[in-house]
Amino acid sequence: MFTTRLISGIILVLLSIVIVGQGGILLYAVTALISIIGLFELYRALGMQRRSLAVVGYVTACSYYGLLWFEGQRYVTLMIIACLMAMMALYVLTFPEYKTEEVTGAFFGVCYVPIMLSFLYQTRDDERRCIPGVAYIFKSPGACDTFAYC
C-alpha cells in the first residue's frame, strides 16, 4: 500500500512540475478541472452530488473560474452572495427536502474547493511570486501528508 502511494505521489509531483512550469491556460484548465472533480467528490461524500444544491455549487464554481479568466475578481463577492442566496432560496422553496447542514456543506464546498485551488493558478500567474510561491504551496501539504501517512 505504501509503495503504491509513494509511486503515485512521485508521478503526481512530476506532473505538477510540468503543469506549473507551463503555467498559463494549461494550469488554469487543470486547476478548474480538479476543482470541479474535487467539488463533486465532496458533494458525493455528503450524499448530494446530483441534487439541486450541488448544481448551484457546480455553476458557481464554473462562474468563479470564468471570472478568474476574464479578470473579474471584483465580482467574486457578488458571486458568492448570489450563490448563498440561490442555495437559501432552494432551501426555503423545497423546505422538507434539505437540512440546514446540507445547505451549509454545499456552500462551504464552493468556498473551499474551487476558490482555494484557484490560488495555485493565481500565485503562478503573479509575476512577483511565480514558481517559488507555487512550490511552497505544494511542498507544505505534500510533506505533511507524506509524513503523516508514514
Side-chain angles (χ1 to χ4, degrees):
M1 182 71 178
F2 178 72
T3 308
T4 305
R5 178 136 172 129
L6 181 66
I7 291 171
S8 65
I10 291 169
I11 291 171
L12 285 174
V13 166
L14 293 175
L15 279 173
S16 66
I17 288 171
V18 170
I19 292 169
V20 170
Q22 285 293 115
I25 193 165
L26 177 64
L27 181 60
Y28 171 83
V30 169
T31 306
L33 180 66
I34 290 172
S35 294
I36 298 299
I37 292 170
L39 193 59
F40 176 80
E41 291 296 328
L42 177 65
Y43 287 162
R44 184 164 50 173
L46 296 174
M48 59 175 17
Q49 71 272 17
R50 289 191 175 91
R51 297 175 74 187
S52 55
L53 278 177
V55 172
V56 172
Y58 301 140
V59 169
T60 304
C62 292
S63 300
Y64 174 73
Y65 274 94
L67 288 175
L68 190 64
W69 184 253
F70 292 109
E71 298 179 7
Q73 283 87 346
R74 64 181 176 263
Y75 300 113
V76 170
T77 304
L78 178 63
M79 181 208 62
I80 291 172
I81 291 170
C83 171
L84 181 61
M85 289 177 63
M87 287 183 177
M88 293 307 290
L90 275 173
Y91 175 66
V92 170
L93 296 173
T94 62
F95 174 62
E97 187 175 344
Y98 295 110
K99 299 176 186 167
T100 55
E101 295 85 14
E102 292 174 316
V103 177
T104 304
F107 182 70
F108 174 75
V110 171
C111 293
Y112 183 66
V113 180
I115 293 176
M116 296 298 267
L117 277 173
S118 74
F119 284 105
L120 288 173
Y121 168 72
Q122 292 181 60
T123 303
R124 174 61 174 92
D125 198 40
D126 187 356
E127 294 179 13
R128 294 170 291 165
R129 293 184 209 122
C130 203
I131 294 177
V134 175
Y136 290 127
I137 293 172
F138 278 109
K139 284 180 191 176
S140 299
C144 292
D145 185 42
T146 303
F147 287 118
Y149 188 78
C150 288

